Amino acid sequence: MKQREDWLAISADILFVAVFAWIGRMSHDESLTLGEIAWTALPFAAGALIAHLILFYRKSEVRSLKIGVVVWLGTWLLGMGFRTATGAGIDPAFIAVAGSFLALMLLGWRLIYWLITRKSAARED
């Protein structure tokens, strides 16, 4: 069961990275084809997957807020590194917006999950 829940968490993170890419491209009036969105999301998706791989081998609870911080930082920092390596721009405003949006999404769903499971656990007592 945990393995299935881990895959759901990883999928949620990748989905939010794709939403980030879609919103970014939309806000700059860029092409919204699936391929273009995927290309924009790729550096950050790779960062998220690398963070998850590291956490997988440490047998971490990927749905926790604490681990979410690791996933967020890995997604954001590795994503910026991969963008730089591919020649894509990373001006300071983009760095701040990307970090903020990714924190909101990758930590936000974990916070909601924690609140729901906390309430459920309290009802069982």
Side-chain angles (χ1 to χ4, degrees), residues 43-48 50-51 69-85 90 94-96 98-99 102-103 106:
F44 298 97
I50 290 168
V69 171
V70 174
V71 173
W72 162 60
L73 287 172
T75 302
W76 181 40
L77 297 174
L78 291 170
M80 290 299 167
F82 291 142
R83 276 185 63 93
T84 301
I90 58 162
F94 176 69
I95 294 169
L102 291 169
L106 301 182

Side-chain angles (χ1 to χ4, degrees), residues 2-3 10-11 28-29 32 37 39 52 65 79 92 96-97 103-104 108 111-112 118 121:
K2 181 181 179 330
Q3 211 173 28
I10 294 166
S11 298
H28 292 286
D29 294 322
L32 296 177
I37 293 169
W39 181 252
H52 276 289
L65 275 171
V97 168
L104 178 67
L111 177 60
I112 292 167
R118 189 175 133 218

